Amino acid sequence: MSESCLIAKLDHYVDLTVSDKDLLGKLEDEEWHVDRKHQLRDGGDEVDSLYVVKTGWLFSYTILPDGRRQVLQLHYPGDIVGIPDLAFEHATTAIETLTGGCLCPFPKKALDEIFEQSPRVTALLFSIGMVDHVVLLDRIRAISRMSAMERLAHFLLEIQSRLRITDKDIGAEFELPLSQDVIGDAIGLTNVYVSKSFARMEERGDIRRDGRKIEICREDELRELCDFHDRYMRIDTSWFPEDA
Amino acid sequence: MSESCLIAKLDHYVDLTVSDKDLLGKLEDEEWHVDRKHQLRDGGDEVDSLYVVKTGWLFSYTILPDGRRQVLQLHYPGDIVGIPDLAFEHATTAIETLTGGCLCPFPKKALDEIFEQSPRVTALLFSIGMVDHVVLLDRIRAISRMSAMERLAHFLLEIQSRLRITDKDIGAEFELPLSQDVIGDAIGLTNVYVSKSFARMEERGDIRRDGRKIEICREDELRELCDFHDRYMRIDTSWFPEDA
DNA sequence: CGAAAAGTTGAGGATCGTCAACATCTGTGG
DNA sequence: CCACAGATGTTGACGATCCTCAACTTTTCG
């Protein structure tokens, strides 16, 4: 078994036992390679499978009645995509790849074994779900109440802090494989205004851009600008059950 | 033990066994009565307890650096409040009551027993978390992309569909114990624009108002207007483990 | 190398915010 | 039962942010 990003991500938060790792490893038995711009599923599709992201980025979105698109979530290596659809027979969002990559599909039922065998891993998955929840609340706050530039700053910082979990030594610079169209659809702006906001941030010296590389030059100022909080760094594991 | 709203809510989705109900009942051992406008906790507070809402409404929110408020979630009888903070040592949001009511506090650690003893209830709690997640995604979509009136319509329909879970025979009319200030802070509008949007909806005959009673007169048209989907009604339990 | 996709820039316009005055409702104490 | 104060809701004038449209440039990819 090659090194798993999912296990790496979870291991960031607690020390997993060998049997925990075995349990999680089963989710990655099967491997799929997918191209860039491949649509995994469409909203409304009948689905029973989730995917562990091994490499590559994806995003989920929905289309509004007038044809516009709302990007809802980005998915990185180590994430499980499709989890929100656990509760539904039909997909609530469409999912598409942003880059080529490798995915590991598994059926919903595979979670049973985790719930049955390891309360500790269960608590961890539950907690990570809550982290994602709080990240969404932060995003609602940004979209609902902040200016275009603040929203964009928040978006970039959120991505950076997520990347740091699975990629310890990400510095100020990282690759952002998103068109300005996608960014706009994620934070409720048009591609035009995203471009203008990027230009302003660059003028101010907050960031630098080179193609799709982004460098965050003044992280502290940007954090203050959009009142950003890193939700990924640490979680409270004090209440977790011991493994049997 | 008086009838529990939490159990009623969960029982809406699956048939709970007697031992499942016992397990859940323990979360409601202790009872607190709280007044209207009581702040349960502030953002940043060190917290270890969650609450089952027995009666009354609450909301969670954060304050922006400039003093404005973002309302993040409403909490109804049957909900567990504070769940997002499971993953953190310090509260990410403040929580306040909208009405007087009765709450049942319990420590995070009380969830251990559920995770250890009932994979089935665990799966259900997990799934309900995912429902809440999808509800947030819907709200992001509404706030990010829709007009003031559409956002307001979406907000009302979301509340109505949530109320239907614990209150089977809610019809077109229900009590809404929220000031327009709070509504505005929830959907990213000012109280002034909420008032104007309400007035327009009433003119069009979509709703009627009487004090804080709301009647949804043309539910189907409103659903279409804001592309509303009921996420609460049913969840997919097909993959749930059997209880030991 | 050429075509399509993505990004930039500017002009004009719509939606919603701000401010302010006023109206109405709610609850409390006299 | 009434008086009053504070909270809540309404309405209008004016302005800012962001959208739309459109032409153009640059980058990407087959």
Side-chain angles (χ1 to χ4, degrees):
Chain A
M1 185 171 55
S2 60
E3 191 38 42
S4 154
C5 281
L6 174 61
I7 292 175
K9 180 179 165 191
L10 300 198
D11 215 33
H12 173 91
Y13 295 113
V14 296
D15 288 324
L16 296 170
T17 65
V18 178
S19 65
D20 286 343
K21 289 187 183 177
D22 282 351
L23 207 52
L24 289 163
K26 287 184 191 162
L27 302 182
E28 301 181 49
D29 277 348
E30 203 178 327
E31 283 194 2
W32 272 23
H33 290 267
V34 285
D35 291 338
R36 189 168 161 273
K37 299 218 169 189
H38 174 79
Q39 192 180 46
L40 270 193
R41 69 174 59 155
D42 202 354
D45 284 2
E46 199 167 322
V47 288
D48 179 58
S49 41
L50 315 179
Y51 303 84
V52 174
V53 183
K54 218 161 193 170
T55 62
W57 290 36
L58 301 88
F59 71 110
S60 51
Y61 64 93
T62 60
I63 301 296
L64 296 161
D66 64 6
R68 286 180 306 168
R69 177 178 62 179
Q70 176 65 43
V71 170
L72 295 165
Q73 290 184 281
L74 297 180
H75 307 284
Y76 315 84
D79 283 353
I80 300 177
V81 278
I83 287 215
D85 288 334
L86 258 190
F88 306 95
E89 277 147 16
H90 298 270
T92 57
T93 66
I95 302 179
E96 206 174 302
T97 57
L98 284 160
T99 68
C102 175
L103 304 177
C104 306
F106 65 90
K108 292 181 185 178
K109 215 156 186 13
L111 290 176
D112 286 7
E113 201 179 346
I114 293 179
F115 292 166
E116 278 163 359
Q117 301 212 354
S118 175
R120 189 172 170 76
V121 174
T122 300
L124 181 55
L125 289 179
F126 206 89
S127 293
I128 288 180
M130 293 310 135
V131 170
D132 290 338
H133 192 94
V134 171
V135 167
L136 285 191
L137 295 179
D138 286 342
R139 192 141 83 235
I140 285 176
R141 193 170 94 119
I143 292 176
S144 169
R145 289 291 186 204
M146 295 187 186
S147 73
M149 217 176 67
E150 289 163 350
R151 278 185 246 179
L152 185 54
H154 195 275
F155 184 71
L156 295 176
L157 292 172
E158 183 191 312
I159 292 170
Q160 188 191 35
S161 75
R162 169 59 186 84
L163 291 177
R164 278 185 179 144
I165 296 307
T166 38
D167 211 339
K168 306 298 182 207
D169 34 42
I170 282 228
E173 194 174 328
F174 56 93
E175 185 83 27
L176 190 68
L178 306 175
S179 70
Q180 294 185 357
D181 234 310
V182 173
I183 296 174
D185 287 347
I187 58 178
L189 297 171
T190 57
N191 59 335
V192 174
Y193 220 73
V194 169
S195 172
K196 287 175 184 173
S197 303
F198 260 133
R200 267 190 61 206
M201 285 180 75
E202 206 162 14
E203 265 171 40
R204 291 172 34 137
D206 293 329
I207 61 166
R208 255 176 299 195
R209 288 178 295 166
D210 176 24
R212 287 189 170 175
K213 272 206 182 60
I214 300 280
E215 184 187 351
I216 311 252
C217 303
R218 309 198 304 163
E219 187 173 330
D220 291 348
E221 285 82 352
L222 279 185
R223 278 179 185 241
E224 194 168 349
L225 173 70
C226 61
D227 195 34
F228 178 80
H229 301 270
D230 186 341
R231 306 299 187 183
Y232 290 108
M233 202 51 202
R234 252 169 56 80
I235 67 178
D236 176 17
T237 59
S238 65
W239 59 277
F240 281 21
E242 294 302 317
D243 253 359
Chain B
M1 185 172 57
S2 60
E3 190 40 39
S4 153
C5 281
L6 173 61
I7 292 175
K9 179 179 164 191
L10 301 198
D11 215 34
H12 172 91
Y13 296 115
V14 295
D15 287 325
L16 295 170
T17 66
V18 176
S19 65
D20 287 341
K21 288 185 184 177
D22 281 351
L23 207 52
L24 289 163
K26 287 185 191 164
L27 301 181
E28 300 181 49
D29 276 349
E30 204 177 327
E31 281 195 2
W32 270 25
H33 289 266
V34 285
D35 290 339
R36 197 166 101 83
K37 298 219 171 185
H38 174 77
Q39 192 180 45
L40 268 193
R41 67 174 60 156
D42 201 354
D45 283 0
E46 199 167 322
V47 288
D48 179 57
S49 42
L50 314 180
Y51 302 84
V52 174
V53 183
K54 219 160 192 171
T55 60
W57 291 37
L58 302 88
F59 72 110
S60 51
Y61 64 93
T62 62
I63 301 296
L64 296 159
D66 64 6
R68 287 180 305 167
R69 177 179 61 178
Q70 175 65 44
V71 169
L72 295 164
Q73 290 185 280
L74 297 181
H75 306 285
Y76 315 84
D79 283 353
I80 300 177
V81 277
I83 287 217
D85 288 333
L86 258 191
F88 305 95
E89 276 147 18
H90 299 269
T92 57
T93 65
I95 303 178
E96 207 173 300
T97 56
L98 285 160
T99 68
C102 175
L103 305 176
C104 305
F106 65 90
K108 291 182 186 179
K109 218 159 184 11
L111 290 176
D112 286 9
E113 201 179 346
I114 292 178
F115 291 166
E116 277 162 358
Q117 301 210 358
S118 175
R120 188 173 172 75
V121 174
T122 300
L124 181 55
L125 289 178
F126 206 90
S127 294
I128 287 179
M130 293 310 134
V131 170
D132 290 338
H133 192 94
V134 171
V135 168
L136 285 191
L137 295 179
D138 285 343
R139 190 141 84 233
I140 286 177
R141 195 170 91 119
I143 292 175
S144 170
R145 289 294 187 203
M146 295 187 187
S147 72
M149 216 175 67
E150 289 162 351
R151 276 184 247 178
L152 184 54
H154 193 276
F155 184 72
L156 295 176
L157 292 172
E158 184 191 313
I159 292 170
Q160 188 190 35
S161 74
R162 168 60 186 81
L163 291 178
R164 279 186 178 143
I165 296 307
T166 38
D167 212 339
K168 304 303 182 205
D169 35 41
I170 282 231
E173 194 172 330
F174 56 94
E175 186 82 27
L176 190 69
L178 306 174
S179 71
Q180 294 184 359
D181 233 310
V182 173
I183 296 174
D185 286 347
I187 57 177
L189 297 171
T190 57
N191 61 334
V192 175
Y193 221 75
V194 169
S195 171
K196 287 176 183 174
S197 303
F198 260 132
R200 268 190 61 207
M201 285 179 75
E202 204 162 14
E203 266 171 39
R204 291 171 34 134
D206 293 328
I207 61 167
R208 254 175 299 195
R209 288 179 296 166
D210 176 23
R212 286 188 170 177
K213 272 207 182 60
I214 299 281
E215 183 186 352
I216 311 251
C217 304
R218 309 197 304 163
E219 187 173 331
D220 291 348
E221 284 83 352
L222 278 185
R223 280 181 183 239
E224 193 169 352
L225 174 71
C226 62
D227 196 31
F228 178 81
H229 301 271
D230 187 341
R231 306 299 188 183
Y232 290 108
M233 202 51 203
R234 252 169 56 81
I235 67 178
D236 176 17
T237 59
S238 65
W239 59 277
F240 281 20
E242 294 303 317
D243 254 356

